[in-house]
Amino acid sequence: MNYITLKKNLLRLYHSYIKKYFDKLILSLLLSLVVAGSTAAIAWLLDPAIEKMFMEQDKTMMLLIPVAIILAFAGKGVSLYFARVILIKVGNEIVTTLQKQIASTILKSDIHTIESKHSGKYISNIMFDVGQVNTFVTNGVLNLMKDSLTLIVLVGLMFYQNWKLAFFALLMMPLAAFVAKSLGKRIGKATKQSIVLNASLVSYLSEMLKGTRMIKIFQQEKFETDRSNKILTDNMDIRNKVAMIMIRATPIMELLTGIMIAGFIYYSGFMITSGEMGINNFFSFLTAMMLAYQPIRSLATINMMFYQGATGAERVFKVLDKEPDIKENENYPNLKIDTGDIEFENVSFVYPETEVAAVKNINISVKGGSTAALVGHSGAGKSTIINLIPRFYDPKEGGIKIDKQKINEVSLVSLRKNISLVSQDIMLFDDTVRANIAYAKLDASEEEIKKACEFAAASDFINDLPKSYGTLIGENGIRLSGGQKQRISIARAVLKNAPIILLDEATSSLDSESEEKVQNAIINLTKNKTTLVIAHRLSTIIRADKIFVLNQGKIADFGTHNELLKNSMIYKNLYSKQLTA
């Protein structure tokens, strides 16, 4: 990361997130000033301590000076504590704000934006990248204020005590700055590598946990162990690299400090013997110089912390700045459903980053309250058509209307409010049965939920569960069978009571008994609703009012089941193969 990018990211971080806490920063700055003053007071008190207590043996000072030293240390400790508390709270509030913004951005993003990036990388953005920003705010800002002020006050004290020796001590500072600048660029590059590898690790762990059954059935434990070992070793190597760069300044700073102190003692010896400096001044100056070593060392590595914070912020900003292709327009009117007619007019669609059209010149008309089915070989474009209706994607050409209203010219919220989707890819939360069903209507009463379950033929098995509707079903319903999960999904759609129903192979993975129960539930769900159905098992869509046959992204034929058996070779072949299967 070059200096211009670093400055740009840090300025945006300040103006957008840190500036609102300016009053707390000022308070922390004032406390840092107390820390700096207390540190200088400790060094300065050694001068009168040696002169008054040991040389003049003043009994009053023997009491006052130790008390003053205790107060100086106490003032430093208390001030540093409250300064840290303030910035820790500020850092955590900024982290929470960023995490909320990332979560909100993800929720508002369109399907393509979300699917174009591994879910593990989003998790890394929320956990690791934001953590880098937190470290910068909590430690970097405090160290910058505290150590800069402490160094300024201590250098001032050294000039007050002996300006010749102070100039000698200042020789170390430009050398420390040079070390900081050279290491800062390296830490920025290493941090970026660390963040990328951390995102890869989170992505891998996510896939490994989800794919446990597949790993075991294919006996790939050794392969995955080797794979995980490589990823973890790479992460260890980059962490070591970052740590090595962070501490690389230590031996250099120790050497510079040693040279400075040795030269100071050598030069001071001549000044003491010539009477230019007293022994009490020597010890006080030496203490001030030794105390100045810590802030110099800290400031020598502060820019590394800034580079880390800026790198984390840069990755977070990339997520926040990504504008979704499909988003809500508050100026659009709400969709008004009359009969629920759906029309596709010359619709073509190409998935992003592909060249072949998924569907081409699609013209479909579905009357409100009727059931239309989409059939065809895998990859024919059936799911694409279903995904275009709730605007998960937008057509590249043509348009879609519901009751004569263009769906891209009505409120997105109102469009999706009127659509229910039951898919073969069922999504259930690690929560109770009740909570999963009520997700369609969060304020639903217990009676409404139970009624929806009766319509979905789910009541019997739910009542047999250990805690009935209060039973926790595990991650994605792991404790339920495929048919049970599907019926909960249907109950959720029933509860939503939308006038348009989309069924994407809702019975494809079920056994005959479960399919029969789910099919009965679907009949209840779709009664008097505009319904679009995708089904590989043609027996489930024989009663459809209209069936569209797709082939290579185009409508090849359409009609009723009996009409297609007579007129469509593709449909006839599909049906014959299933009868003989």
Side-chain angles (χ1 to χ4, degrees):
M1 181 185 293
N2 57 41
Y3 175 74
I4 295 174
T5 307
L6 173 71
K7 182 181 176 181
K8 177 185 174 183
N9 289 330
L10 292 181
L11 282 175
R12 178 174 175 181
L13 196 60
Y14 171 74
H15 287 296
S16 300
Y17 301 96
I18 301 175
K19 190 177 180 180
K20 66 175 73 173
Y21 303 102
F22 189 73
D23 55 337
K24 293 182 179 180
L25 292 177
I26 292 296
L27 181 56
S28 185
L29 181 65
L30 293 173
L31 290 168
S32 297
L33 191 58
V34 175
V35 172
S38 302
T39 305
I42 293 165
W44 179 81
L45 283 168
L46 286 179
D47 187 337
I50 294 171
E51 182 180 2
K52 299 295 182 181
M53 293 173 62
F54 300 112
M55 297 174 68
E56 298 179 6
Q57 297 185 350
D58 187 322
K59 291 184 178 181
T60 303
M61 289 297 173
M62 285 182 183
L63 177 63
L64 293 177
I65 291 175
V67 170
I69 290 173
I70 291 171
L71 291 174
F73 272 103
K76 179 181 178 181
V78 171
S79 300
L80 184 57
Y81 168 77
F82 283 109
R84 285 194 183 280
V85 166
I86 290 168
L87 285 178
I88 285 172
K89 288 183 177 180
V90 168
N92 286 331
E93 286 183 30
I94 290 171
V95 162
T96 303
T97 299
L98 285 169
Q99 289 174 330
K100 287 179 179 178
Q101 287 182 343
I102 293 172
S104 177
T105 299
I106 292 170
L107 290 170
K108 292 177 182 177
S109 293
D110 55 76
I111 298 297
H112 167 61
T113 300
I114 295 172
E115 292 181 346
S116 63
K117 183 175 177 178
H118 196 288
S119 59
K121 292 182 179 179
Y122 284 114
I123 295 170
S124 181
N125 290 140
I126 290 176
M127 303 303 294
F128 188 74
D129 297 344
V130 170
Q132 297 280 14
V133 175
N134 187 27
T135 302
F136 160 69
V137 175
T138 304
N139 298 326
V141 174
L142 177 62
N143 289 353
L144 179 64
M145 294 190 297
K146 172 178 67 72
D147 294 329
S148 297
L149 289 172
T150 300
L151 185 60
I152 291 168
V153 174
L154 287 172
V155 168
L157 176 63
M158 287 189 282
F159 270 99
Y160 171 76
Q161 290 173 327
N162 192 300
W163 64 270
K164 293 180 182 178
L165 288 175
F167 271 119
F168 178 78
L170 286 176
L171 291 174
M172 181 181 178
M173 293 184 187
L175 294 172
F178 174 76
V179 172
K181 185 177 180 181
S182 61
L183 294 180
K185 292 180 180 178
R186 296 180 186 178
I187 198 70
K189 184 179 179 181
T191 299
K192 185 167 283 189
Q193 291 175 336
S194 175
I195 289 172
V196 170
L197 284 173
N198 185 75
S200 298
L201 174 61
V202 175
S203 301
Y204 170 73
L205 291 175
S206 174
E207 289 180 348
M208 184 181 72
L209 292 169
K210 289 178 181 177
T212 302
R213 285 183 173 82
M214 187 178 69
I215 292 168
K216 293 184 181 302
I217 199 63
F218 287 107
Q219 299 174 291
Q220 293 297 344
E221 288 89 347
K222 185 181 183 304
F223 172 78
E224 292 300 336
T225 299
D226 293 340
R227 191 177 165 200
S228 63
N229 286 344
K230 183 182 184 306
I231 294 172
L232 292 167
T233 301
D234 288 344
N235 269 269
M236 179 192 70
D237 291 342
I238 197 63
R239 287 198 303 272
N240 286 339
K241 184 178 180 180
V242 171
M244 292 304 104
I245 295 173
M246 289 293 287
I247 64 171
R248 196 173 293 173
T250 302
I252 301 172
M253 295 302 297
E254 293 287 348
L255 177 62
L256 291 174
T257 304
I259 294 170
M260 183 183 72
I261 291 174
F264 162 72
I265 292 173
Y266 177 79
Y267 188 38
S268 297
F270 285 104
M271 296 185 73
I272 291 171
T273 54
S274 65
E276 285 187 62
M277 188 180 192
I279 192 71
N280 53 316
N281 300 127
F282 168 77
F283 279 107
S284 179
F285 190 98
L286 179 62
T287 303
M289 191 167 65
M290 293 292 288
L291 288 173
Y293 162 69
Q294 190 278 328
I296 289 175
R297 183 178 63 178
S298 176
L299 291 171
T301 58
I302 195 78
N303 70 320
M304 300 183 202
M305 210 172 289
F306 277 48
Y307 268 99
Q308 287 180 311
T311 302
E314 183 180 36
R315 286 173 57 86
V316 170
F317 293 152
K318 282 182 180 178
V319 175
L320 299 181
D321 293 342
K322 175 64 176 173
E323 280 291 326
D325 296 323
I326 301 172
K327 58 184 177 181
E328 183 64 278
N329 188 323
E330 295 178 359
N331 297 320
Y332 283 170
N334 289 333
L335 175 66
K336 295 177 182 178
I337 297 292
D338 182 17
T339 58
D341 295 347
I342 300 174
E343 294 177 78
F344 280 65
E345 298 176 345
N346 302 316
V347 170
S348 296
F349 176 76
V350 179
Y351 281 101
E353 299 169 8
T354 61
E355 295 180 359
V356 180
V359 292
K360 292 166 276 188
N361 198 32
I362 298 294
N363 288 280
I364 290 176
S365 179
V366 182
K367 289 184 178 181
S370 69
T371 297
L374 304 173
V375 301
H377 296 289
S378 295
K382 304 183 296 295
S383 293
T384 299
I385 290 174
I386 289 285
N387 287 329
L388 290 173
I389 296 173
R391 291 192 68 198
F392 291 156
Y393 299 95
D394 274 343
K396 299 300 178 186
E397 295 177 10
I400 303 169
K401 293 179 181 178
I402 295 177
D403 282 338
K404 306 297 182 181
Q405 303 158 83
K406 292 182 179 179
I407 64 170
N408 62 333
E409 294 180 2
V410 297
S411 160
L412 193 59
V413 170
S414 67
L415 170 67
R416 292 175 179 170
K417 184 180 179 180
N418 287 291
I419 299 172
S420 284
L421 171 65
V422 180
S423 172
Q424 61 177 332
D425 300 320
I426 308 158
M427 176 60 213
L428 297 177
F429 299 99
D430 187 8
D431 207 333
T432 63
V433 172
R434 180 185 294 104
N436 272 281
I437 296 169
Y439 195 76
K441 186 181 178 184
L442 297 179
D443 59 349
S445 65
E446 192 76 11
E447 184 181 350
E448 287 177 301
I449 292 170
K450 289 183 177 179
K451 189 175 180 180
C453 290
E454 288 174 9
F455 268 88
S459 297
D460 291 344
F461 87 81
I462 292 174
N463 289 328
D464 290 338
L465 294 173
K467 293 183 180 179
S468 187
Y469 287 85
T471 303
L472 290 169
I473 62 175
E475 185 178 359
N476 206 26
I478 191 70
R479 299 188 183 99
L480 302 177
S481 70
Q484 290 172 337
K485 288 194 286 187
Q486 196 63 278
R487 277 178 276 168
I488 285 180
S489 177
I490 292 169
R492 191 161 55 191
V494 170
L495 185 63
K496 186 176 182 181
N497 194 29
I500 297 172
I501 308 294
L502 306 178
L503 302 174
D504 189 355
E505 301 190 35
T507 62
S508 64
S509 59
L510 304 179
D511 56 57
S512 299
E513 184 179 351
S514 296
E515 183 182 355
E516 183 180 354
K517 291 177 180 178
V518 170
Q519 197 62 43
N520 290 332
I522 287 173
I523 291 171
N524 290 331
L525 170 65
T526 59
K527 191 174 182 181
N528 300 321
K529 306 285 178 68
T530 305
T531 307
L532 244 68
V533 186
I534 295 175
H536 275 305
R537 299 180 186 177
L538 300 186
S539 58
T540 61
I541 50 93
I542 289 174
R543 299 184 188 90
D545 298 299
K546 191 182 287 185
I547 300 170
F548 294 92
V549 182
L550 279 88
N551 185 40
Q552 297 181 345
K554 296 180 179 180
I555 301 291
D557 296 293
F558 66 91
T560 63
H561 170 70
N562 291 329
E563 289 171 348
L564 289 171
L565 282 178
K566 294 177 182 177
N567 304 322
S568 174
M569 186 60 67
I570 297 173
Y571 185 82
K572 188 176 181 180
N573 288 339
L574 287 170
Y575 190 68
S576 299
K577 286 178 182 177
Q578 290 193 13
L579 286 176
T580 56

